[in-house]
Amino acid sequence: MFIPPAAAGTATGGATEWTQLANNAELVRLLESSGVQVDNQLTQINQLAEQIQNQLQIYRNMLQNTAALPVHIWGEVENDLTRLRAIVTEGQALAFSMGNADDILKQRFKSYADLNAELPNAESFSASYQIWSDTNRDTIAGTLRAASMTAEQFDGEDRTMTSLRRLSETADGQMKALQVGHDIAVQQVAQMQKLRGLVSQQMTMMGSWLQSEQTSRDLAQARRQALFNATVRAVPRGQKMEPRW
């Protein structure tokens, strides 16, 4: 009996192909898994790079915000106030910076009670009137000179404020902006001090003038009262009151 040969080679070849296909599929799966891992790693690297970039930006902002101004602009505040105090104290003037202005007013301009108790004679009245006149004139002149001095300072103060405005516009950080604001506040306080000085000196001038006017009226009233209260001596009998030419 004839028995045909088995097709073992075909079966074997088929098994090899299936094995290769299975191996290829596993390789594809491995490649896909590796690709996913690589993609995840790239994503992590990108996130880390963004974090580093954000941190560097934070550091740059910190450095920018904490950067200080190269120089502060103060102006000539102290010198101006010193000149203002010195100008209004010349001569016999009364000044707002005097600590004993009230005592000086009492010494130079006596009250009605003082004048009523002791009237000045001709010589002392002339000297007193000269003191009153010098006090008023020097006080008025000092007040006007103080006002003129502050007017002359307008140009310098305007230049200072222009510089501060420029720094405020170009401030590139919080610290610089705060420092510019601080300098502007100092300038504002200085201007308020000058204004207070001028107003105080004006009040001193008005007080000096009113006190001298009141003293003049008191002196006139005291003289009238002394005249009316003077003792009238009786006219001797037989003496005629007639004009003598």
Side-chain angles (χ1 to χ4, degrees), residues 163-193:
S163 299
L164 289 174
R165 285 193 295 268
R166 188 180 299 110
L167 287 176
S168 177
E169 293 173 356
T170 58
D172 55 353
Q174 296 178 359
M175 183 62 70
K176 289 184 178 181
L178 291 175
Q179 289 175 343
V180 172
H182 177 264
D183 291 354
I184 293 176
V186 171
Q187 290 295 321
Q188 184 177 5
V189 171
Q191 297 302 320
M192 291 298 297
Q193 288 177 329

Side-chain angles (χ1 to χ4, degrees), residues 106-182:
K106 291 180 180 179
Q107 293 173 3
R108 298 183 185 179
F109 306 106
K110 294 184 178 181
S111 65
Y112 176 77
D114 295 334
L115 294 174
N116 193 25
E118 182 181 3
L119 287 174
N121 53 33
E123 183 179 357
S124 61
F125 172 75
S126 177
S128 299
Y129 187 82
Q130 182 178 357
I131 292 176
W132 302 344
S133 177
D134 292 342
T135 299
N136 286 329
R137 288 179 180 276
D138 291 345
T139 303
I140 294 172
T143 303
L144 293 177
R145 284 195 299 269
S148 176
M149 183 204 71
T150 55
E152 292 174 356
Q153 295 170 353
F154 286 165
D155 293 338
E157 293 167 355
D158 185 67
R159 288 193 296 270
T160 300
M161 293 307 300
T162 301
S163 299
L164 289 174
R165 285 193 295 268
R166 188 180 299 110
L167 287 176
S168 177
E169 293 173 356
T170 58
D172 55 353
Q174 296 178 359
M175 183 62 70
K176 289 184 178 181
L178 291 175
Q179 289 175 343
V180 172
H182 177 264

Side-chain angles (χ1 to χ4, degrees), residues 36-231:
V36 171
Q37 292 179 0
V38 171
D39 185 63
N40 293 334
Q41 290 178 357
L42 291 176
T43 302
Q44 293 177 0
I45 292 173
N46 290 331
Q47 293 176 353
L48 182 59
E50 291 179 357
Q51 292 178 0
I52 295 174
Q53 185 177 2
N54 293 333
Q55 193 68 30
L56 291 175
Q57 185 63 36
I58 292 175
Y59 289 150
R60 281 194 294 268
N61 292 336
M62 290 176 60
L63 292 175
Q64 186 177 9
N65 291 332
T66 56
L69 290 175
V71 64
H72 287 277
I73 300 175
W74 303 116
E76 299 294 333
V77 178
E78 296 181 0
N79 294 334
D80 294 343
L81 293 177
T82 302
R83 288 181 57 198
L84 180 62
R85 286 192 295 267
I87 282 178
V88 297
T89 56
E90 297 178 359
Q92 296 290 331
L94 294 178
F96 69 93
S97 56
M98 287 181 175
N100 57 341
D102 186 50
D103 295 335
I104 294 177
L105 277 176
K106 291 180 180 179
Q107 293 173 3
R108 298 183 185 179
F109 306 106
K110 294 184 178 181
S111 65
Y112 176 77
D114 295 334
L115 294 174
N116 193 25
E118 182 181 3
L119 287 174
N121 53 33
E123 183 179 357
S124 61
F125 172 75
S126 177
S128 299
Y129 187 82
Q130 182 178 357
I131 292 176
W132 302 344
S133 177
D134 292 342
T135 299
N136 286 329
R137 288 179 180 276
D138 291 345
T139 303
I140 294 172
T143 303
L144 293 177
R145 284 195 299 269
S148 176
M149 183 204 71
T150 55
E152 292 174 356
Q153 295 170 353
F154 286 165
D155 293 338
E157 293 167 355
D158 185 67
R159 288 193 296 270
T160 300
M161 293 307 300
T162 301
S163 299
L164 289 174
R165 285 193 295 268
R166 188 180 299 110
L167 287 176
S168 177
E169 293 173 356
T170 58
D172 55 353
Q174 296 178 359
M175 183 62 70
K176 289 184 178 181
L178 291 175
Q179 289 175 343
V180 172
H182 177 264
D183 291 354
I184 293 176
V186 171
Q187 290 295 321
Q188 184 177 5
V189 171
Q191 297 302 320
M192 291 298 297
Q193 288 177 329
K194 293 180 183 179
L195 180 59
R196 287 176 56 193
L198 288 177
V199 173
S200 299
Q201 185 59 28
Q202 183 183 14
M203 294 175 62
T204 303
M205 177 187 67
M206 294 178 62
S208 174
W209 174 258
L210 293 175
Q211 188 69 24
S212 66
E213 285 292 311
Q214 185 62 41
T215 302
S216 298
R217 295 178 182 178
D218 292 344
L219 179 60
Q221 178 63 24
R223 286 185 178 276
R224 285 192 296 267
Q225 184 174 352
L227 177 63
F228 294 146
N229 294 336
T231 303

Side-chain angles (χ1 to χ4, degrees), residues 14-42:
T16 302
E17 291 177 358
W18 286 109
T19 301
Q20 290 178 353
L21 291 175
N23 292 337
N24 291 336
E26 184 66 22
L27 180 59
V28 170
R29 285 193 297 270
L30 290 176
L31 292 176
E32 290 179 352
S33 177
S34 298
V36 171
Q37 292 179 0
V38 171
D39 185 63
N40 293 334
Q41 290 178 357
L42 291 176

